[in-house]
Amino acid sequence: MAKKISKRLRSLNEKIDAAKSYDVDSAVSTLKGLASTKFDETVEIALRLGVDPRHADQMIRGAVVLPHGTGRTVKVAVFAKGIKADEAREAGADIVGDEDLAEEIKNGNTNFDMVIATPDMMALVGKVGRILGPKGLMPNPKTGTVTLDVAKAVSNAKSGQVNFRVDKKGNIHAPIGKASFETQKIKENMLEFVRAINRLKPASAKGRYIKNSSISLTMSPAVRIDSQELLEIK
């Protein structure tokens, strides 16, 4: 089995010029040609930023709604009560609750992809923060997941919102579509994502902001992108 996988990857590597940084159009077209599995692979973008996340003002974090979605069905849990809970349900939230939802999480039920909360629920959410935090599920105002407008937050989550956060080494990874998407849709999703990253460039960041960039499929090698082109996306 290992030999078969190695042969497949070797074949895919032959379709890429590893020494080349592709322009956006060529990168997406090349990536589309690497789809080689029986399932619909996820398209992921990876960026290395010239920031130092140890400084609070250089912690790049946010959210963006991709114009063509991610191709995933997103399960949303909402901490809310009263009218806000009703609004969340009407908007399509999969799980809505307050103390009962917190208890479910404590019992190990985290079968959802995003958590949204109204501000008054954050003290309660904090009690399960040790469970949600490591899973990347903790609501945060910067990603629009702590809000009074729960209907909009649920709608954004269901229609393709991607939350992102730079890691300790300045890297950001995010899904931007599926291999089955049309080339133009992958490109438009990627441009919208990069546009969101560029808007968050901290004034204190020194040197080149986007140092390296690439896109890949779940089971493919990465295709390098011309970072200068991405820096010019506004």
Side-chain angles (χ1 to χ4, degrees):
M1 185 68 179
K3 185 177 180 181
K4 184 178 180 181
I5 294 174
S6 177
K7 182 178 179 180
R8 184 185 69 85
L9 289 176
R10 188 161 54 246
S11 174
L12 294 181
N13 279 322
E14 290 174 355
K15 297 180 179 181
I16 304 171
D17 184 347
K20 177 180 178 180
S21 291
Y22 292 76
D23 61 63
V24 170
D25 288 324
S26 299
V28 175
S29 297
T30 300
L31 189 73
K32 285 277 289 180
L34 300 181
S36 61
T37 65
K38 294 181 179 179
F39 67 95
D40 193 8
E41 297 176 75
T42 296
V43 179
E44 183 177 89
I45 187 169
L47 303 173
R48 185 175 183 187
L49 303 182
V51 297
D52 185 348
R54 292 175 299 179
H55 300 294
D57 61 343
Q58 294 188 38
M59 170 53 73
I60 307 300
R61 182 174 189 172
V64 59
V65 178
L66 302 180
H68 305 292
T70 62
R72 297 177 57 215
T73 299
V74 179
K75 192 170 183 179
V76 180
V78 179
F79 278 92
K81 57 185 177 181
I83 294 175
K84 292 302 175 180
D86 293 337
E87 290 176 3
R89 293 187 186 96
E90 290 174 9
D94 300 278
I95 305 170
V96 182
D98 43 86
E99 284 86 358
D100 56 331
L101 177 53
E103 197 60 35
E104 281 191 46
I105 293 171
K106 288 179 184 177
N107 292 332
N109 179 17
T110 54
N111 184 28
F112 37 78
D113 305 295
M114 190 176 294
V115 179
I116 295 165
T118 53
D120 61 308
M121 289 282 101
M122 287 308 293
L124 177 61
V125 175
K127 294 180 180 179
V128 290
R130 290 185 179 180
I131 300 172
L132 298 178
K135 296 179 181 293
L137 294 171
M138 192 68 182
N140 188 288
K142 290 185 178 180
T143 60
T145 48
V146 177
T147 176
L148 283 172
D149 195 348
V150 290
K152 181 180 179 181
V154 171
S155 176
N156 284 346
K158 291 287 187 177
S159 61
Q161 176 172 311
V162 172
N163 297 336
F164 54 85
R165 180 177 181 172
V166 69
D167 67 17
K168 293 179 180 179
K169 295 184 178 180
N171 301 308
I172 284 182
H173 299 266
I176 55 169
K178 292 287 186 177
S180 61
F181 281 21
E182 296 173 6
T183 300
Q184 185 63 22
K185 289 184 177 181
I186 295 175
K187 176 185 174 181
E188 290 174 3
N189 274 359
M190 178 168 64
L191 295 182
E192 187 63 23
F193 183 83
V194 173
R195 197 171 286 120
I197 297 296
N198 283 339
R199 281 197 294 264
L200 293 174
K201 180 182 179 181
S204 59
K206 305 299 182 182
R208 193 178 183 87
Y209 181 47
I210 300 179
K211 290 187 170 183
N212 296 300
S213 51
S214 65
I215 50 174
S216 61
L217 299 175
T218 307
M219 301 290 287
S220 85
V223 178
R224 291 174 59 193
I225 307 172
D226 179 359
S227 297
Q228 184 57 44
E229 183 178 357
L230 298 189
L231 282 168
E232 294 170 0
I233 296 170
K234 305 298 182 184

